[in-house]
């Protein structure tokens, strides 16, 4: 809870001039240039982040949401103050949005801390933006409510329902295989993302929004309302009003995002067959609060909790269908026996209260019952083995059952450029039974751990009709992708991990049941190879600026890829 003696409103966080009363006088004098009255300025101040950007269509509705959130703040007796922070869009971030997530987290944290606000409404939605905001808010630790921007509506083409970006990848694969032509792929580029909002499959953005709701950091139902619906605007107004109440209560992120709340969020991650990326992001958010996410406990949750949500890429439907099936409150009700429903929410109530408000939607088939699951045995599985001493991840629910136990020859790509140059070559020595290996694509190696783990099927195999192969890397993959893909191998090869020791033709064994990924090479041979291993050359430009900070400080996937200096020295491992 907030210290009741701490200064509030305009008096909080004064600029340093050596005279606090002068600092307040100056602040008041300057802000009056905006036309505010003393009455307005004496009310609780609610900061509202503005992450609108012409480069970020996933945040295209942010201006309308801000207007509605401000209305909610005013109706509840507060004073809304909008302020900008960085915005990150997936396809407009070079080299990768993940490289910039920690920069946005630093920006959000410091802007919350630097400016006077009694609570803050965080509005975002694209993959890295909500995680970055939560990381920043966890560290700033003032009363905070999240308002996701919400998912897009589905697209349509030739009688087929389309969703970004699972269908972007599927249709691009068809184009590569010569099954659709240039004219059709051009038409499709206008139909895959038909409205503002976040990707409407259970990709990273939707996964994170659902987990935020399970954490208790947004209003019940707020994860899934489509971005363009009137209900989304009403949720914004309600979030603004809730922020005023939250400011009065003094309830901070550390009171809500407890170890039990993270466990609830990770349980939801398994039950929705969600994005692999979410595990990295929530490890980072928890780390900011001194909480260690135990990968093996997460794996055990997967064995207990069935996948119940029938959404692409694991299933058939899209976020708007999930919403009309009752959304998160209905899912939480279905998995309540796996949850700690006493955890607190930004509403002032508990998770049990959110579940009590769940609608019963007759005939819906999108959120299954535990008796009729989409899959059992875990949406995501954590692997160990001599290739991944600190762990790796596979999205079982989006992988091929026939490849869950597989042994094959390694076909190694030394980085993204090498893969781009050779993957589609007619000379590439590759068969459908081989294991494609991509390295130097991790947090330091790439840099920024791009979503390159979804290694395309080599063109000559794609043209023979091969749809899936075992693919392994130290990269991430989009939450919208599918396939038998082992990701987040830690430590990464550029940090000296054993992935860097694999050679073409080595045998690799994947055994998902045993949770193992192993290189079938003797320890003695690996020791020799380690002596001969040469660390990759530094990235151009890494001697200065943000790139230098990033490569010096970024942690590995199992630690959330946060900056080491942002995490408390000791984490609660209990
Ligand atoms: Fe922004 Fe998918 S690209 S959510």
């Amino acid at each position: 809870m907030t210290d009741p003696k701490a200064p509030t409103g305009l008096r909080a966080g004064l600029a340093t001039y050596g005279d606090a009363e002068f600092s307040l006088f100056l602040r008041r004098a300057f802000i009056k240039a905006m036309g505010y009255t003393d009455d307005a300025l004496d009310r609780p101040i609610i900061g509202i982040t503005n992450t609108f950007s012409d480069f970020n269509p996933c945040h295209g509705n942010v201006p309308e949401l801000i207007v509605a959130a401000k209305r909610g703040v005013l109706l509840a007796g507060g004073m809304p103050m909008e302020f900008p922070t960085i915005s990150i869009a997936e396809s407009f971030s070079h080299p990768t949005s993940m490289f910039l997530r920690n920069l946005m987290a630093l920006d959000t944290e410091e802007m919350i801390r630097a400016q006077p606000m009694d609570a803050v409404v965080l509005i975002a939605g694209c993959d890295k933006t909500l995680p970055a905001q939560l990381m920043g808010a966890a560290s700033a630790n003032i009363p905070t409510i999240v308002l996701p921007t919400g998912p897009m509506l589905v697209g349509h083409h030739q009688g087929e329902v389309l969703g970004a970006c699972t269908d972007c990848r599927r249709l691009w694969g068809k184009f590569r295989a010569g099954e659709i032509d240039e004219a059709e792929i051009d038409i499709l580029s206008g139909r895959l993302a038909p409205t503002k909002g976040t990707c409407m499959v259970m990709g990273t953005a939707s996964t994170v929004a659902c987990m935020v709701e399970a954490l208790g950091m947004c209003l019940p139902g707020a994860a899934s309302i489509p971005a363009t619906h009137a209900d989304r605007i009403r949720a914004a107004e309600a979030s603004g009003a809730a922020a005023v109440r939250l400011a009065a209560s003094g309830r901070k992120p550390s009171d809500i995002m407890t170890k039990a709340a993270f466990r609830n969020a990770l349980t939801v991650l398994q039950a929705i067959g969600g994005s692999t990326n979410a595990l990295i992001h929530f490890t980072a958010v928890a780390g900011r609060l001194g909480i260690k996410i135990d990968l093996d406990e997460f794996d055990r949750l997967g064995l207990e909790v069935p996948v119940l949500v029938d959404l692409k890429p694991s299933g058939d439907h899209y976020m708007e269908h999930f919403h009309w099936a009752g959304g998160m409150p209905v899912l939480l009700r279905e998995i309540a026996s796996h949850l700690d429903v006493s955890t607190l929410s930004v509403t002032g109530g508990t998770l049990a209260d959110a579940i009590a408000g769940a609608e019963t939607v007759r005939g819906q088939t999108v959120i299954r019952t535990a008796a009729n699951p989409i899959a059992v045995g875990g949406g995501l599985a954590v692997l160990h083995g001599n290739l991944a001493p600190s762990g790796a991840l596979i999205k079982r629910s989006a992988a091929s059952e026939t490849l869950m136990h597989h042994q094959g020859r390694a076909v190694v790509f030394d980085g993204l450029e090498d893969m781009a140059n050779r993957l589609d070559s007619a000379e590439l020595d590759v068969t459908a039974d081989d294991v494609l290996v991509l390295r130097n694509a991790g947090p330091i190696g790439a840099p920024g751990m791009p979503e390159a783990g979804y290694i395309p099927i080599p063109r000559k195999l794609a043209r023979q009709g091969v749809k899936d192969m075992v693919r392994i890397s130290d990269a991430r993959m989009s939450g919208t992708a599918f396939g038998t893909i082992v990701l987040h191998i830690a430590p990464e090869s550029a940090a000296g991990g054993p992935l860097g020791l694999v050679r073409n033709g080595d045998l690799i064994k994947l055994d998902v049941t045993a949770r193992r990924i192993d290189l079938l090479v003797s320890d003695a041979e690996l020791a020799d190879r380690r002596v001969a291993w040469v660390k990759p050359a530094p990235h151009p430009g890494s001697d200065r600026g943000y790139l230098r900070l990033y490569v010096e400080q970024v942690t590995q996937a199992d630690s959330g890829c946060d900056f080491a200096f942002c995490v408390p020295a000791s984490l609660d491992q209990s």
Side-chain angles (χ1 to χ4, degrees):
M1 291 290 174
T2 307
D3 175 3
K5 293 203 187 104
T8 58
L10 272 198
R11 293 182 171 276
L14 293 170
T16 309
Y17 294 107
D19 176 348
E21 288 308 312
F22 174 70
S23 297
L24 180 61
F25 166 73
L26 205 63
R27 174 173 282 180
R28 227 173 234 286
F30 272 92
I31 201 66
K32 282 186 174 175
M34 304 283 279
Y36 295 121
T37 62
D38 285 323
D39 180 22
L41 295 173
D42 284 340
R43 289 169 188 259
I45 296 178
I46 308 300
I48 302 175
T49 59
N50 184 352
T51 54
F52 176 79
S53 160
D54 281 340
F55 290 109
N56 194 345
C58 309
H59 289 200
N61 60 345
V62 163
E64 301 160 76
L65 297 181
I66 289 175
V67 168
K70 284 183 171 176
R71 187 165 64 240
V73 171
L74 290 168
L75 286 170
M79 172 66 190
M81 299 286 277
E82 169 190 337
F83 64 99
T85 72
I86 296 171
S87 190
I88 306 170
E90 284 302 296
S91 50
F92 282 91
S93 301
H94 177 79
T96 163
S97 58
M98 188 63 178
F99 175 66
L100 299 168
R101 184 201 64 178
N102 294 353
L103 183 62
M104 184 171 176
L106 288 175
D107 177 11
T108 304
E109 174 184 345
E110 296 307 330
M111 288 300 98
I112 292 173
R113 211 196 297 282
Q115 300 169 129
M117 57 190 86
D118 299 302
V120 62
V121 183
L122 304 176
I123 306 178
C126 195
D127 293 14
K128 307 304 174 298
T129 57
L130 275 184
Q133 288 187 329
L134 275 181
M135 290 161 70
S139 294
N141 207 25
I142 69 161
T144 300
I145 185 168
V146 171
L147 173 64
T149 54
M152 302 176 208
L153 298 181
V154 296
H156 297 267
H157 177 69
Q158 298 286 317
E160 202 185 346
V161 177
L162 298 182
C165 227
T166 300
D167 292 313
C168 314
R169 292 170 201 285
R170 181 178 62 80
L171 293 166
W172 186 253
K174 279 190 162 194
F175 174 61
R176 280 173 56 82
E179 293 170 31
I180 56 180
D181 62 17
E182 193 113 21
E184 188 167 4
I185 202 82
D186 274 353
I187 292 169
L188 283 161
S189 73
R191 297 184 175 171
L192 282 158
T195 72
K196 295 168 183 174
T198 52
C199 292
M200 64 294 231
V201 297
M202 191 52 83
T204 304
S206 302
T207 302
V208 167
C210 290
M211 293 172 71
V212 165
E213 193 168 326
L215 264 185
M217 288 298 291
C218 69
L219 295 180
S224 58
I225 306 167
T228 50
H229 280 199
D231 278 346
R232 173 66 54 195
I233 306 280
R234 281 187 278 273
E237 185 181 302
S239 298
V244 179
R245 293 192 292 273
L246 202 55
S249 76
R251 188 174 299 116
K252 298 187 291 189
S254 58
D255 301 318
I256 296 171
M257 294 196 284
T258 58
K259 194 165 176 64
F262 279 106
R263 193 177 182 282
N264 287 342
L266 294 172
T267 303
V268 163
L269 174 55
Q270 293 285 15
I272 60 180
S275 163
T276 48
N277 291 317
L279 186 59
I280 293 185
H281 296 319
F282 279 73
T283 299
V285 177
R288 291 294 181 104
L289 293 164
I291 298 169
K292 172 81 180 160
I293 298 294
D294 179 344
L295 287 181
D296 294 325
E297 186 194 8
F298 174 67
D299 188 79
R300 282 195 297 279
L301 284 176
L303 295 174
E304 295 163 12
V305 181
V307 179
L308 296 184
V309 176
D310 189 7
L311 254 62
K312 289 199 174 188
S314 302
D316 283 335
H317 300 284
Y318 297 89
M319 281 300 279
E320 63 186 271
H321 308 128
F322 177 61
H323 182 64
W324 296 121
M328 280 299 295
V330 168
L331 176 70
L332 293 169
R333 185 174 62 195
E334 286 301 326
I335 60 171
S337 62
H338 299 282
L339 302 170
D340 178 346
V341 296
S342 69
T343 54
L344 296 174
S345 152
V346 288
T347 59
T350 62
L351 200 60
D353 297 326
I355 291 172
E359 191 180 349
T360 296
V361 181
R362 285 184 298 279
Q364 68 85 11
T365 56
V366 179
I367 306 169
R368 303 273 192 90
T369 61
N372 179 30
I374 301 288
V376 289
L380 305 180
V382 176
L383 309 176
H384 291 281
N386 71 352
L387 260 179
S390 301
L393 202 58
I394 184 167
K395 187 171 187 175
R396 284 185 72 246
S397 55
S400 301
E401 203 52 48
T402 51
L403 293 172
M404 293 284 103
H405 305 94
H406 183 82
Q407 186 170 310
R409 249 180 5 146
V411 176
V412 181
F413 299 100
D414 249 327
L416 297 168
E417 198 179 337
D418 183 33
M419 185 173 83
N421 289 340
R422 293 193 298 120
L423 186 74
D424 286 339
S425 159
E427 275 76 56
L428 184 70
D429 177 14
V430 66
T431 72
D433 291 332
D434 291 337
V435 175
L436 302 179
V437 178
L438 172 64
R439 63 186 172 210
N440 297 318
I444 299 168
M449 204 180 180
E451 292 185 340
Y454 178 76
I455 304 167
I457 303 295
R459 196 186 295 267
K460 68 180 183 185
L461 296 180
R463 294 210 153 149
Q464 291 164 20
V466 176
K467 299 280 187 240
D468 195 11
M469 295 172 69
V470 174
R471 290 160 269 181
I472 74 170
S473 73
D474 46 15
R476 297 176 303 114
M477 80 171 179
S478 164
T480 62
F482 55 91
T484 310
I485 298 173
V486 177
L487 303 154
H488 307 183
I489 287 182
E492 63 173 306
S493 58
L499 194 63
L501 308 181
V502 183
R503 292 185 182 165
N504 279 317
D506 286 349
L507 286 179
I508 291 176
K509 183 176 176 186
L510 171 68
D511 183 343
V512 178
T513 307
R515 301 295 197 256
R516 301 278 311 177
I517 178 81
D518 287 293
L519 181 62
L520 303 184
V521 169
S522 71
D523 290 348
E525 169 65 16
L526 288 178
D528 288 346
R529 290 186 191 181
R530 184 166 297 288
V531 171
W533 179 73
V534 180
K535 191 176 171 148
H539 298 292
S542 60
D543 56 339
R544 64 164 300 280
Y546 180 69
L547 178 54
R548 176 170 173 171
L549 176 73
Y550 182 88
V551 294
E552 285 179 359
Q553 286 292 328
V554 72
T555 59
Q556 292 294 291
D558 58 310
S559 297
C561 302
D562 198 357
F563 288 152
F565 64 73
C566 287
V567 183
S570 70
L571 296 185
D572 174 5
Q573 314 256 1
S574 64

